[in-house]
Amino acid sequence: MKTADPELMRAINRFHVMDAIRRFGPLSRVEISERTDLSPTTVSAITAALLDDRLIAILQLGGLRDASRGRPRVMLRLNPEAARVVGVKLAPDLITVAVTDFCANLISKLSLPIRIRRQTPAVIADLVEDGVRRCVSDAELEMKDIAGLCVGLPGVVANATGVCRQSPIFSERDVGFGELLSRRLGVAVAVDSDVNLVALAEHWFGQGRELDDFLVVSIERSLGLGILHKGELFRGANGLSPDLGDFLVRGAARLGDLATEDSLLAEVESFAGESDGLYAHDKAVARAVQRAEAGEAKYAQALARAGEALGFAIANLITLFAPPKVLICGRALAGSERLLTPLRATVAALLPPSLADVCEIVVREWSDDIWVRGAAAMTLRELYGASWGTTGPAKPGPEN
Amino acid sequence: MKTADPELMRAINRFHVMDAIRRFGPLSRVEISERTDLSPTTVSAITAALLDDRLIAILQLGGLRDASRGRPRVMLRLNPEAARVVGVKLAPDLITVAVTDFCANLISKLSLPIRIRRQTPAVIADLVEDGVRRCVSDAELEMKDIAGLCVGLPGVVANATGVCRQSPIFSERDVGFGELLSRRLGVAVAVDSDVNLVALAEHWFGQGRELDDFLVVSIERSLGLGILHKGELFRGANGLSPDLGDFLVRGAARLGDLATEDSLLAEVESFAGESDGLYAHDKAVARAVQRAEAGEAKYAQALARAGEALGFAIANLITLFAPPKVLICGRALAGSERLLTPLRATVAALLPPSLADVCEIVVREWSDDIWVRGAAAMTLRELYGASWGTTGPAKPGPEN
DNA sequence: CGCTTTAATACGCTTTGCGGATTAAATGTG
DNA sequence: CACATTTAATCCGCAAAGCGTATTAAAGCG
């Protein structure tokens, strides 16, 4: 751990103040003092420095006076113009890019429905570069205005180095995607598992706001697992984010081969003999789900098997992390009771009795926005000053 | 997180100094300065305070002079007499108690081979109380000399509250064992999963000394899992330590029903029809292992199945934690290649390729001592001052 | 006996957070 | 409209922390 000196002290308390303002909306200094347990004096000093750095700003009072006497409180809020960051989400058939301000509000967004699977990392990096430049330009900004960028992608990512160990969107392993991008764009680039970003976004903006421990499971073309543990994103040694698809379930099969959209389609095609065109993936999934909902036995069974397999893995994860909540998302699959009911039943059946009532499983539907906002939030976290304990993102070297 | 003030700063740096001295033997002030990145001045101030508190002592130079000129270094070491603590390990058929000094060296030890399984918590607490008092008396100390006590037991333990959610040695659930004991003995009592204690002991004294991430798996009458993650013991939300036996493996069976000594014996008895006496448990296990080693097919298969089941669970854990090392221990089972070879093979077969070469699986034989030393270390950690982030052990209330 | 070398400390400086007194800015009241 | 009241924010002085420089301590070497 880093050695403690006054500078670290200030960094920690500064972050506490920033975090309080971010989480609990516009706050007055007294309120910050109450929330952070810092003395009013200290809060005053820190907020003065933050105002000086233009990281926060005074909210022009919008009429709302609280009905009490005394000097009115001066409300402070994050200064949206303090910085702009870029969030990128890579999926097998879609690149999403967004530029946000310092409050993680979208300024501009761009979706590129491109099948990038099986392209070389260099080609993908080129595509992303183009998308980012375009999106930044749409926001009427230049690259030099961008303080940082974060990429979320499915697979196993070593966050500390920006290396993607393995991913369904890369045909190679150990792709140094962070460096590829930071060299192209000249900004600091962080790379992380896509679901980690949603977990962070949930913690910042969503349902996990009050929770310091929860799991996020995403069921799309691949399976993702994001873990918020004790208020921090959980990563393995080396900063590795695991891939839920790599988990094993009964019969020693990879969960990724049993419970993804792709595995479902493969199974469905095997009975129907029908094959959908390459670009009809979403529709094919939706149709399969509809048939299951309608009660067609084979389809329902396929979904149920997937749900049971997921339940198995989730039960093990609950045993380990004991989170009060598990959030499940996914474009179509996650909405179907044909999948969820067996999933919940499996979890309930398999959880040890001592953990039976610990955890609630919740389905959550997300727009694409939350992913890129999460990516932006990941970068903002650094800018807020959280970087004292962790190693920051890969910065573009002056050489090269 | 706690708010940062000068006091916290000092606590952190004090702990760094203590930790450096503990880990790297007797150290001079300059060496501490190098190891901790603290300035010589600060080290001087802190060590002066520690000497004043008698937590460390000056090592009477034992002849060894380094061949250089200049003022000789004054070597500092932990003062063994700074405090005494008690470690307790509970197993289904054995209570082990030890008193150690401030360096976690044994002063006295006591083993009580008692079948405590199915006794009421109150009775068990009575037995432990007697053992502790006896052992303390053997060490020629009184209870008031004891600074703290830590109990390790198999099962799911909520460390923060001292409550054992579920354990093979308790017939009830949610046993507030920490409070039971602290009330009886009048000292602070911590309760933790037994394997967590070994993990800590390994980190302090053993093979994990240089590692900040590793797993410990113990295979005895029940299965234990201890996780050291980023230099800290890993616990779930609420401070819950998971039980490896609760993990599920192929076929949705509890691992605890497949790969413990007890499950092996049950299976063995089913083919042989032979039943060993209650007190011959260890011998029965050893005999079954011997038969397997000798090549008796059924026995070998039983061990292989257990090994595969363990391998399945361990592969999932490696996927999640990506630890460079997994330590496996267990009185008899862990020593047998009939179990280990299938275990290793299963892990190798199931691990995703991106993690294939990350982790080494090592078998480690432990004496009973390490468990109780680990328990002592857990208490010492508090005394060294590590308690700034975590909630301490259950202290005996003045009321009651 | 003095010189050199290394270890440890003393002193002064800067920074931090905090408590108490003070100022700022509103409302209420005679 | 002057003045008290109330609440928010700040100013001032203090104590404690870590660090850098200069100083002292304790050995060997010639």
Side-chain angles (χ1 to χ4, degrees), chain B residues 4-6 28-30 40-41 44 69-74:
Chain B
D5 55 14
S28 66
R29 291 175 175 82
V30 256
T41 314
S44 223
R69 309 203 301 177
R71 177 175 175 175
R73 302 176 166 189
V74 178

Side-chain angles (χ1 to χ4, degrees), chain B residues 11-60:
Chain B
I12 293 175
N13 288 339
R14 236 176 102 116
F15 177 73
H16 281 159
V17 170
M18 287 294 284
D19 203 48
I21 298 176
R22 176 185 65 73
R23 288 176 65 176
F24 306 105
L27 285 183
S28 66
R29 291 175 175 82
V30 256
E31 290 168 310
I32 296 172
S33 169
E34 286 160 10
R35 295 239 181 234
T36 58
D37 285 318
L38 292 165
S39 79
T41 314
T42 304
V43 172
S44 223
I46 292 178
T47 51
L50 292 173
L51 281 166
D52 209 55
D53 294 348
R54 307 214 180 285
L55 295 184
I56 62 175
I58 293 173
L59 181 67
Q60 297 307 346

Side-chain angles (χ1 to χ4, degrees), chain A residues 153-157 166-168 193-195 218 222-227 240-248 254-256 260 317, chain B residues 316 319-320 352 354-355:
Chain A
L153 43 77
V156 181
V157 179
Q166 180 265 324
S167 168
S193 147
D194 51 2
V195 196
S218 90
S222 55
L223 293 173
L225 173 64
I227 303 168
L240 250 64
S241 310
D243 184 331
L244 184 58
D246 286 332
F247 281 78
L248 303 161
R254 283 185 72 247
L255 183 56
T260 62
L317 289 168
Chain B
N316 275 340
T319 300
L320 200 51
S354 55
L355 288 169

Side-chain angles (χ1 to χ4, degrees), chain A residues 225-239:
Chain A
L225 173 64
I227 303 168
L228 205 91
H229 184 59
K230 299 188 200 296
E232 290 288 330
L233 285 174
F234 174 89
R235 299 197 180 91
N238 317 18

Side-chain angles (χ1 to χ4, degrees), chain B residues 67 84 134 156 290 365:
Chain B
R84 333 280 167 160
R134 172 69 181 275
V156 181
Q290 273 168 17
E365 202 51 44

